[in-house]
Every structure is written in structure tokens, then in C-alpha cells.
């Protein structure tokens, strides 16, 4: 046993001696600026001291001492370069010592002599003439470079650059930041000079486009090129060119994505699984989600689906129709690029001519129509939408309106909020109304106006996702009054009158009406009178939070027992001798009919701030109970919490519970308004600047834009339907209004502010 241990020790010692000869000597750091003939030796060795223990496999999978596996187009380049010395090549751009991997190794790292030319990045065992080349990375238009980052420097003490090739990559390290940047710039410059790489699929698509009016040539192209036809074999490379190691996947690394090239191959595997999947919806939704996250893969998936629906051995089977169902969902979610779009349209026409009056013909016709309407979606289709699209049907969408009523409408994947508003106006007989309406996303505690160009299917998908996360939340679409332009024109027996009453009640319950407690109690009493009539011990009373602001009820419950809260006038019978509410004659609440209760409630609402300014409902979106306002002018500034009211003719400021406006600013006096930062809204009126600190930036913008648009319509300068518009501005600035009394229609920013 001791003899065996001694032999083992000698072997280990000999092995470590060999490793020390290769890696253990002191390595000299050199700057890339000082590359001359006197400084070509690394580690103190001559050009012939290159050990055989060094790895000889290049980054592209070829051996440094063999050309048998090198592509034919590169053999002449490599042979020619191997015959000349490093200093004799006139095409050398940058050369210098760099480290390879420096992470997680107990062996001291060794540096290599790297040489960048117009065609490749090579590395050698040393810098002497005739040194062995250990690897070559051929540079093409698809190569990519990752620049130095501070995180790697903090972890390793080295600045790194990564050069991605077709199959492998070079991760290079240096202790000098300037040297790392110099190498990254030089490699990127070489990549940028290369001509774009085209795949065989791209070349064949071009040939098909050029010969699309010659069916015989097209058939011949398909017959002699299996890459265009259906296959059961896996795909080992994308059909379209993608950068090697594209940086795009790093932004979605949290979702588990690999490089774009790898994801393209995985997607084709998912497509093939559709044929045998019991339920294809999860696979379809997964493919669509990947295309939503990685935009560059959309054309690739379209090409893969065209391939799998071309020259199919059994085209009429249910398994093959799965590809058409996924193509249908893709066409209703994303648009392909121009070249692939032409190729797809040609493919659909070709299938329709080959298989008339078939299921494939029906799918092709549906897809062709969908491509004419599709805009890029914000969300992938929901589970229900995918099932509907697989059958080429439309969805049923339930739209609620104030009160217990609702309507069911058939919608497609392209239906917008403006279209639903128009159809609801027709269905409810409100086309002649002078007021404007909008759709709202709504749950029990929150609601938001929907932009006119928003796709309804995206909203339903969000509802599905939110319901999965919050099982107790009930989301719905609601059709409501948005801009109250003419309250006097509303007929008492119209549905619009009920809208007004219900929405005023919503404002009261949600605490979005800046009224005093006495007025809120009177409104609660009128609501209770309209719901159950006169007080009776046999009539069930609704919960208090359905009649009165919840936060005020909680505040009353937290009061000390020595000060018992007074009961609301609607929750108890009137006591003998008690004075009636001051706003109405005595005994008016008792025995009031439904219509009278509605009328009294609306009369009181219209007398409260800021409903006296010819509108009420938009306040639930333009007001915030904790709105902080800072007024700045040439005479000074002050800060306090106020309510902001946006009306048809002006913008006004109110204190809580006060009926009179603190100050009003007609639109003719407003020079500009907009978002100044993430939580500040600014209005310039004359020489005064009003700065509002609020979380309701988008809502205020929407409301003011809607009123401006309605004013344009009434003056005969706008469209018949007023909608909440959305723009595509990248940065939100200030909207400068013209000096004319009618401001121009403003656009909303598309991103959250």
C-alpha cells in the first residue's frame, strides 16, 4: 500500500510539473498600444516552446493543425495565412495578448496572442513568426459582440468582451478597459463591413416571388427543394438568418429564453408536437407568447408554418389542420414582414387553387381577410379566443352599463373600443345624444377609461390573466357617460337619465365627489328611497357601503364611544319634530316616487362642486381625493390639497365640501398643458403655472382631450364620434393651444405616465 501511494504521489507531482510548465510561469501584462517586434514573447519562452497539452480545437469546431473540417470557402484563406508570418500580413487590424476564460478555475490562466483581420479572429500560442494557430472564428454579418460591463469586472477583476460565432464564441478578458473597448470596436467594425448573409429559404422565396406567374417553374422549385416542404424531421437551423448569440434574448432572460437561433429551432419542435397533442391550446399560446416577447421570431414562425402546410402527404387530416389553426391565430395576432407577407399571400392563393372547397381553403380565406385588419397585439389571445379562432368564429363579449343591465356583442380579434361604443349607441338608442360615451375597465374598487383604438380582445385577455392571479376580483367592461356636455337635454324617461343617476351614485359611494357630509347623507337617503321606497321594517336595507362612502363609514366606526355617530337620515324613520333636510321642503323625502327620487338626487348633485359646471361624471376620473396642487405665478406660490374639475368649458379648482369654485380657467385662457415629470401635471394659463402632483395623469389628459374633441364636433370641425385617442409619442411634452377659443385635438401618450 505505501508503494502504491508513493507511485501515485510521483505521478501527481509529474503531472503538476507539466501543468506548471504550461500555466504556472509569471505572465506579463502588456498594453495593446505597445505591440512591436521586441515584445512578441509571452511567459519568457521562445517561439518553439509550444507544448502539446494546449487545446487545439478552435472556437468553430475545427482543429488548429488540420484543415479537413474547415469549410471549403475558408481553406484558401487559412492556408495562405499559415504560410506567412504574423508581421507580414498587411490585413491585420489589431493584435495583442488576451486571456480566454478566467472564471472558476484553480489553474492560473494563460494568455494567447490574438490577431484580428478583415475575415477572422485568430489566436496563437505566442506572438512569434510561425507560431501555431490554435483557433479561428470566421467573422460574418451574423456575428455579434458583447461589450465590456462593470459587473464582470467586479466579479473577476477583468474587463471582458464576447464574440459570438456560428457555433462557438470567444470570451476574452483583459485588465485594461481601453484595450477591451478597442478590441470590441475593431471586431464590430469588421462585422459591419460584411455583406448580409442570406439563407437558402430566403433565396428560394425570392425565386418564387420572381416566378409567381409561372406555375410550372414554381412547382419545379418546390419539387427540387425539400426545405420548402413539409417534414417530420427536426430542424437543426433556422430558416431565416439570425445573429449568433443575439443580445435580444438577454432582455428576456428572466423568462428562460435562450438565443434567438436556439428559440427558432425549439419553436419548430413545438409546431411538430401540435400533430399529436391532445389539447393544442397551451402549445399555441406558448408559441404566440414567444413571438410576442421575441419580435424577430415572427417571420421565422410564419415561414415554418408555410413549410409545414406545403406538399403535405395527408393534407385533410385533423393533425395537419393544427398547423392551419396556429397560422390562423398568428394572422390575428402579428403581421409578418413585407417579404414574408408576400410569400404568405402567394402560399394562401396556391393552396386555395390546389384544394378548392376544402377546410384548407376555408382557413386560407379566413387568414387572408384577417391579415388585412390585423394590428400588432399587446397580449397574446386568451384561451377562449384561441378556441374560437380554431373554429373561425367570433367571440361573445358582455358589455355592462350603469345599473343591472348588460348587452352581449359579437366581436372579432380586430374589434376596437370605438367600434363597440358605436354599436352600443345604436343598441341603446343613444346616437342622437349630445353627450359622449366611452368604455371602462372596471372592478369593485377601480376603473379606467379605455382608449378608442384599444383592441377589445386584449382587454379580455388581461381580465383572464388578472382573474387567474386574483381569484376574488371581478373585472368587466362597462359602457358609461364620459363627457356631460348638455345635462338639460337629457329626457327624464330616457336610459341616459338612468345612466346619469347611477354614475352620480357611484361617485358618492367611491368618495369621488367633493361634497360635505350633510350633502352625502342626503344623497344616500335619496338613493335608498329610490331603491326600496318608504321605510319599512319588512324591507331589507342594503349594506351601508352601498349608500355612503366607505372611508367615511370606517372613520365613524373608529370614533370613541362618547361621541356616538349619528344615523344617516335614510337608515331610520324621521323622528317627530326633527327638521327636514334644508335643501328640500319638509316631508319631501317620505313617499317620494322613483322618478322624483332620481330627480332630487340629480338636482342635488348638479348643485355640488363641480357638478354645477354643466358636467358630473368625468370627475370620477379627473379627481383624486389626495390631489396635491402647487400654484406658481409671478405674484408668488402656495401649496394645498384641492380638487381639480375638468368641464366642457373650463378647468376649475375646489376645496373639499365647498360649492363655489376657488378659481376657474376657461379653455381660451389656457396656453398649454402636459406632463412635466412622472407624477406632475402642468397647466399654463396666462402668466401662471399650475403644477398638480397626482397619479391621475393619463386620466386628466384623456378627459381634457375628450372635451376638446367634443367641442370641435359641436362646432362642426370634428368627427361624429368622440373617442379617447392614443398617440405614439415617445416623450410626453406640453400641448400648446392655439389662441383661438377652440383648442386643437390633442393626442395621448401611448406609454404609462
Amino acid at each position: 500500500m505505501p508503494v502504491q501511494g508513493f507511485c501515485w504521489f510521483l505521478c501527481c507531482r509529474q503531472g503538476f510539473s507539466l501543468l506548471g510548465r504550461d500555466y504556472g510561469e509569471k505572465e506579463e501584462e502588456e498594453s495593446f498600444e505597445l505591440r512591436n517586434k521586441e515584445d512578441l514573447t509571452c511567459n519568457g519562452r521562445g517561439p518553439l516552446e509550444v507544448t502539446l497539452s494546449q487545446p487545439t480545437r478552435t472556437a468553430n469546431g475545427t482543429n488548429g493543425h488540420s484543415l479537413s473540417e474547415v469549410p471549403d470557402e475558408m481553406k484558401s484563406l487559412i492556408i495562405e495565412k499559415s504560410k506567412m508570418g504574423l508581421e507580414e500580413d498587411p490585413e491585420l487590424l489589431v493584435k495583442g495578448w488576451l486571456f480566454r476564460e478566467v472564471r472558476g478555475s484553480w489553474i492560473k490562466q494563460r494568455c494567447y496572442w490574438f490577431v484580428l483581420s478583415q475575415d477572422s479572429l485568430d489566436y496563437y500560442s505566442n506572438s512569434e513568426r510561425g507560431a501555431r494557430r490554435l483557433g479561428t472564428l470566421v467573422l460574418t454579418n451574423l456575428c455579434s459582440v458583447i461589450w465590456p460591463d462593470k459587473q464582470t469586472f467586479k466579479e473577476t477583476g477583468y474587463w471582458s468582451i464576447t464574440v459570438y460565432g456560428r457555433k462557438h464564441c470567444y470570451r476574452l478578458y483583459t485588465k485594461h478597459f481601453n484595450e477591451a473597448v478597442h478590441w470590441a470596436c475593431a471586431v464590430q467594425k469588421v462585422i459591419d463591413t460584411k455583406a448580409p448573409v442570406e439563407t437558402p429559404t430566403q433565396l428560394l422565396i425570392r425565386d418564387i416571388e420572381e416566378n409567381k406567374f409561372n406555375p410550372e417553374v414554381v412547382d419545379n422549385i418546390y419539387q427540387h427543394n425539400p426545405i420548402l416542404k413539409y417534414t417530420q424531421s427536426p430542424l437543426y437551423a433556422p430558416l431565416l438568418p439570425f445573429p449568433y448569440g443575439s443580445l435580444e434574448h438577454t432582455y428576456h432572460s428572466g423568462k428562460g429564453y435562450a438565443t434567438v437561433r436556439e428559440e427558432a429551432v425549439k419553436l419548430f419542435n413545438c409546431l411538430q408536437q401540435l400533430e399529436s397533442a391532445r389539447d393544442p391550446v397551451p402549445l399555441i399560446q406558448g408559441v404566440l407568447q414567444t413571438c410576442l416577447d421575441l419580435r424577430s421570431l415572427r417571420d421565422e414562425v410564419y415561414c415554418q408554418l408555410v413549410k409545414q402546410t406545403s406538399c403535405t402527404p395527408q393534407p385533410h387530416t385533423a393533425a395537419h389542420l393544427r398547423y392551419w389553426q396556429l397560422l390562423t391565430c398568428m394572422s390575428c395576432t402579428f403581421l409578418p414582414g413585407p417579404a414574408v407577407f408576400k410569400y404568405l399571400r402567394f402560399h394562401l392563393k396556391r393552396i386555395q387553387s390546389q384544394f378548392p372547397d376544402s377546410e384548407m381553403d376555408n382557413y386560407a380565406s379566413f387568414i387572408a381577410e384577417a391579415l388585412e385588419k390585423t394590428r400588432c397585439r399587446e397580449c397574446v389571445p386568451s384561451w377562449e379566443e384561441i378556441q374560437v379562432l380554431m373554429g373561425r368564429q367570433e367571440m361573445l363579449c358582455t358589455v355592462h352599463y350603469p345599473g343591472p343591465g348588460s348587452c352581449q356583442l359579437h366581436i372579432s380579434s380586430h374589434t376596437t373600443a370605438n367600434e363597440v361604443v358605436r354599436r352600443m349607441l345604436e343598441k341603446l338608442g343613444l346616437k342622437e345624444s349630445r353627450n359622449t360615451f366611452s368604455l371602462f375597465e372596471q372592478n369593485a374598487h377601480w376603473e379606467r377609461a379605455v382608449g378608442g383604438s384599444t383592441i377589445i380582445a386584449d382587454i379580455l385577455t388581461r381580465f383572464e390573466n388578472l382573474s387567474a392571479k386574483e381569484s376574488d376580483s371581478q373585472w368587466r367592461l362597462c359602457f358609461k357617460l364620459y363627457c356631460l356636455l348638455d345635462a338639460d337635454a337629457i329626457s327624464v324617461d330616457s336610459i341616459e337619465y338612468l345612466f346619469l343617476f347611477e354614475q352620480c351614485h357611484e361617485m358618492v359611494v367611491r368618495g369621488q365627489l367633493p361634497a360635505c357630509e350633510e350633502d352625502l347623507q342626503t344623497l344616500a337617503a335619496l338613493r335608498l328611497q329610490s331603491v326600496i321606497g318608504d321605510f319599512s321594517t319588512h324591507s331589507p336595507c342594503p349594506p351601508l357601503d352601498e349608500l355612503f362612502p366607505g372611508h367615511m363609514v370606517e372613520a365613524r366606526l373608529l370614533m370613541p364611544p362618547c361621541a356616538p355617530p349619528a344615523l344617516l337620515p335614510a337608515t331610520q324613520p324621521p323622528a317627530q319634530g326633527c327638521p327636514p333636510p334644508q335643501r328640500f321642503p319638509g316631508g319631501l323625502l317620505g313617499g317620494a316616487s322613483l322618478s322624483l327620487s332620481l330627480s332630487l338626487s340629480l338636482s342635488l348633485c348638479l348643485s355640488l362642486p363641480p357638478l354645477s359646471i354643466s358636467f358630473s361624471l368625468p370627475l370620477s376620473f379627473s379627481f383624486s381625493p389626495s390631489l396635491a396642487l402647487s400654484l406658481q405665478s409671478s405674484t408668488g406660490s402656495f401649496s394645498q390639497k384641492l380638487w381639480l374639475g375638468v368641464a366642457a368649458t373650463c378647468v376649475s379648482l375646489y376645496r373639499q365640501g365647498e360649492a363655489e369654485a376657488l378659481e376657474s380657467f376657461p379653455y381660451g385662457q389656457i396656453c398649454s398643458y402636459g406632463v412635466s415629470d412622472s407624477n406632475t401635471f402642468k397647466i399654463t394659463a396666462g402668466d401662471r403655472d399650475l403644477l398638480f402632483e397626482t397619479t391621475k395623469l393619463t386620466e386628466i389628459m384623456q378627459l381634457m382631450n375628450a372635451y376638446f374633441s367634443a367641442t370641435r364636433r359641436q362646432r362642426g370641425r370634428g368627427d361624429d364620434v368622440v373617442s379617447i385617442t392614443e398617440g405614439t409619442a415617445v416623450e410626453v411634452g406640453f400641448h400648446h393651444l392655439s389662441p383661438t377659443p377652440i383648442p386643437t385635438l390633442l393626442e395621448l401618450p401611448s406609454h404609462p405616465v
Side-chain angles (χ1 to χ4, degrees):
M1 184 67 182
V3 177
Q4 293 179 354
F6 181 71
C7 294
W8 179 83
F9 173 75
L10 290 178
C11 292
C12 289
R13 182 177 181 182
Q14 181 66 19
F16 280 103
S17 298
L18 292 174
L19 292 173
R21 189 181 71 175
D22 292 333
Y23 300 99
E25 297 84 1
K26 180 174 178 60
E27 297 175 341
E28 180 181 359
E29 296 180 10
E30 300 186 46
S31 176
F32 71 96
E33 294 91 354
L34 302 176
R35 304 302 185 217
N36 51 48
K37 294 184 179 181
E38 290 76 20
D39 298 325
L40 293 180
T41 303
C42 181
N43 302 327
R45 293 197 298 266
L48 299 180
E49 296 179 19
V50 180
T51 64
L52 297 178
S53 61
Q54 290 297 322
T56 59
R57 191 162 185 83
T58 69
N60 283 338
T62 61
N63 292 330
H65 54 79
S66 175
L67 297 175
S68 58
E69 299 180 7
V70 178
D72 294 336
E73 62 271 19
M74 294 305 302
K75 285 183 178 179
S76 59
L77 171 64
I78 296 175
I79 293 174
E80 181 182 356
K81 292 183 67 177
S82 64
K83 291 180 180 179
M84 64 174 62
L86 296 178
E87 295 296 328
E88 298 175 0
D89 192 344
E91 295 184 355
L92 298 184
L93 302 177
V94 183
K95 50 192 174 182
W97 295 104
L98 293 171
F99 290 94
R100 291 293 299 271
E101 295 290 347
V102 297
R103 299 172 184 258
S105 176
W106 56 274
I107 301 175
K108 191 173 183 180
Q109 299 299 320
R110 180 179 177 181
C111 62
Y112 297 91
W113 182 256
F114 280 84
V115 176
L116 174 65
S117 67
Q118 290 287 354
D119 298 295
S120 63
L121 178 63
D122 308 319
Y123 71 98
Y124 298 82
S125 58
N126 58 55
S127 58
E128 291 291 339
R129 183 178 303 176
R132 177 177 299 168
R133 180 172 50 250
L134 302 177
T136 298
L137 192 150
V138 179
L139 297 176
T140 66
N141 177 259
L142 300 181
C143 295
S144 58
V145 180
I146 295 182
W147 285 57
D149 63 281
K150 291 184 178 180
Q151 184 62 32
T152 304
F153 180 76
K154 291 179 180 179
E155 295 175 356
T156 64
Y158 292 84
W159 296 98
S160 70
I161 65 169
T162 304
V163 184
Y164 285 97
R166 180 174 177 269
K167 290 185 178 179
H168 301 277
C169 67
Y170 286 175
R171 292 182 176 87
L172 311 178
Y173 299 85
T174 177
K175 289 195 173 183
H176 305 287
F177 175 73
N178 290 338
E179 186 173 5
V181 172
H182 180 80
W183 276 100
C185 290
V187 175
Q188 187 62 55
K189 186 175 181 180
V190 172
I191 294 173
D192 293 340
T193 60
K194 299 300 179 182
V197 176
E198 289 187 311
T199 63
T201 301
Q202 285 181 303
L203 298 175
L204 292 172
I205 289 176
R206 185 188 303 168
D207 291 341
I208 292 174
E209 177 64 23
E210 294 174 354
N211 298 278
K212 61 183 180 181
F213 298 112
N214 193 335
E216 295 180 359
V217 175
V218 172
D219 292 340
N220 187 60
I221 293 175
Y222 275 95
Q223 182 179 357
H224 292 88
N225 294 279
I227 193 66
L228 296 175
K229 298 187 293 185
Y230 170 87
T231 180
Q232 292 182 336
S233 302
L235 197 65
Y236 296 102
L239 300 178
L240 300 178
F242 293 104
Y244 307 131
S246 173
L247 295 180
E248 184 175 354
H249 75 277
T250 61
Y251 302 119
H252 303 278
S253 57
K255 298 184 178 180
Y257 290 120
T259 65
V260 180
R261 294 177 61 84
E262 294 172 344
E263 291 298 329
V265 175
K266 291 179 183 178
L267 284 175
F268 189 77
N269 183 39
C270 291
L271 265 59
Q272 291 179 317
Q273 294 179 27
L274 284 173
E275 297 186 34
S276 57
R278 177 176 298 180
D279 184 6
V281 176
L283 280 173
I284 292 176
Q285 203 165 32
V287 171
L288 296 176
Q289 184 64 53
T290 302
C291 291
L292 179 69
D293 295 337
L294 304 179
R295 186 184 184 93
S296 57
L297 286 177
R298 298 172 187 176
D299 283 357
E300 172 71 19
V301 173
Y302 269 114
C303 289
Q304 292 180 4
L305 288 171
V306 171
K307 170 185 173 65
Q308 292 300 94
T309 53
S310 299
C311 306
T312 311
Q314 298 176 336
H316 301 286
T317 60
H320 173 257
L321 290 179
R322 294 280 176 83
Y323 293 112
W324 284 101
Q325 292 166 355
L326 175 54
L327 189 56
T328 300
C329 295
M330 282 287 296
S331 67
C332 293
T333 311
F334 311 111
L335 279 177
V340 177
F341 185 80
K342 294 179 181 178
Y343 177 48
L344 176 61
R345 292 181 61 181
F346 173 81
H347 172 68
L348 297 176
K349 293 179 181 179
R350 185 168 181 264
I351 291 298
Q352 287 179 297
S353 63
Q354 290 179 345
F355 304 96
D357 301 327
S358 64
E359 276 294 290
M360 292 183 294
D361 181 16
N362 295 333
Y363 276 111
S365 177
F366 185 89
I367 293 169
E369 293 179 5
L371 290 172
E372 301 297 329
K373 306 175 184 177
T374 297
R375 295 185 296 108
C376 184
R377 297 276 295 272
E378 296 179 3
C379 308
V380 299
S382 63
W383 193 284
E384 177 187 359
E385 184 181 356
I386 291 176
Q387 290 180 322
V388 169
L389 289 176
M390 290 172 62
R392 306 186 304 275
Q393 303 296 324
E394 290 187 334
M395 292 183 292
L396 267 180
C397 174
T398 301
V399 181
H400 300 265
Y401 51 83
S406 64
C407 291
Q408 285 195 327
L409 304 175
H410 287 277
I411 64 169
S412 67
S413 299
H414 318 99
T415 304
T416 63
N418 276 340
E419 296 176 35
V420 172
V421 169
R422 290 189 181 97
R423 290 162 64 178
M424 288 295 295
L425 290 174
E426 295 176 359
K427 207 172 187 69
L428 298 176
L430 296 172
K431 291 190 66 177
E432 302 301 324
S433 174
R434 300 181 62 181
N435 303 306
T436 61
F437 299 80
S438 177
L439 287 180
F440 292 82
E441 300 175 66
Q442 186 182 78
N443 66 6
H445 310 288
W446 181 88
E447 69 178 0
R448 181 180 65 182
V450 177
S453 60
T454 304
I455 297 176
I456 298 300
D458 280 339
I459 299 177
L460 299 181
T461 300
R462 284 202 297 271
F463 288 172
E464 183 180 274
N465 297 336
L466 290 171
S467 298
K469 296 178 181 178
E470 308 169 2
S471 57
D472 57 339
S473 63
Q474 298 293 329
W475 290 87
R476 66 178 191 173
L477 273 177
C478 192
F479 173 79
K480 300 172 63 177
L481 270 165
Y482 189 61
C483 294
L484 186 60
L485 302 172
D486 190 357
D488 297 334
I490 300 178
S491 174
V492 177
D493 57 350
S494 67
I495 191 173
E496 192 173 5
Y497 194 80
L498 292 176
F499 278 23
L500 190 59
F501 174 74
E502 293 292 340
Q503 291 182 236
C504 287
H505 173 64
E506 286 183 10
M507 293 172 61
V508 171
V509 172
R510 294 185 178 185
Q512 296 169 335
L513 190 67
C516 63
E517 186 172 344
E518 178 186 356
D519 292 331
L520 294 176
Q521 290 178 359
T522 304
L523 290 171
L526 291 169
R527 174 68 178 185
L528 191 61
Q529 180 72 27
S530 66
V531 173
I532 64 175
D534 291 340
F535 175 80
S536 172
T537 56
H538 303 289
S539 300
C541 187
L544 193 58
D545 57 2
E546 295 182 5
L547 302 170
F548 203 71
H551 68 280
M552 299 186 68
V553 174
E554 294 177 1
R556 283 295 190 92
L557 293 176
L558 295 176
M559 293 178 63
C562 59
L567 294 177
L568 298 180
T571 59
Q572 61 179 0
Q576 295 292 333
C578 289
Q582 296 180 1
R583 289 184 179 269
F584 303 104
L588 190 55
L589 290 180
S593 63
L594 172 61
S595 59
L596 181 57
S597 299
L598 297 183
S599 177
L600 293 175
S601 178
L602 289 179
S603 298
L604 178 56
C605 283
L606 293 175
S607 67
L608 293 176
L611 304 184
S612 57
I613 316 179
S614 75
F615 84 105
S616 62
L617 306 175
L619 296 182
S620 59
F621 304 98
S622 61
F623 285 174
S624 173
S626 60
L627 182 67
L629 169 68
S630 174
L631 292 179
Q632 299 181 359
S633 66
S634 58
T635 58
S637 63
F638 66 93
S639 299
Q640 58 178 304
K641 290 184 178 180
L642 299 173
W643 288 79
L644 173 68
V646 183
T649 58
C650 62
V651 175
S652 303
L653 304 175
Y654 295 85
R655 290 191 178 95
Q656 175 68 33
E658 293 187 2
E660 297 296 331
L662 181 65
E663 192 162 6
S664 296
F665 302 92
Y667 290 136
Q669 298 178 7
I670 297 178
C671 304
S672 65
Y673 66 92
V675 179
S676 61
D677 56 39
S678 60
N679 63 343
T680 304
F681 188 81
K682 180 179 179 180
I683 297 178
T684 300
D687 60 347
R688 304 175 63 185
D689 292 332
L690 287 74
L691 301 179
F692 304 91
E693 294 181 7
T694 177
T695 59
K696 303 290 185 179
L697 296 174
T698 302
E699 288 84 348
I700 295 174
M701 289 286 292
Q702 287 179 338
L703 195 59
M704 294 183 70
N705 293 338
Y707 272 115
F708 289 159
S709 178
T711 305
R712 286 167 53 91
R713 182 189 64 171
Q714 290 185 347
R715 297 296 181 92
R717 300 185 182 183
D719 298 329
D720 292 337
V721 177
V722 177
S723 63
I724 306 172
T725 57
E726 296 182 5
T728 57
V730 177
E731 296 183 358
V732 181
F734 287 95
H735 298 286
H736 296 276
L737 307 182
S738 60
T740 59
I742 306 302
T744 58
L745 178 62
L746 306 178
E747 295 293 328
L748 261 180
S750 59
H751 60 282
V753 292

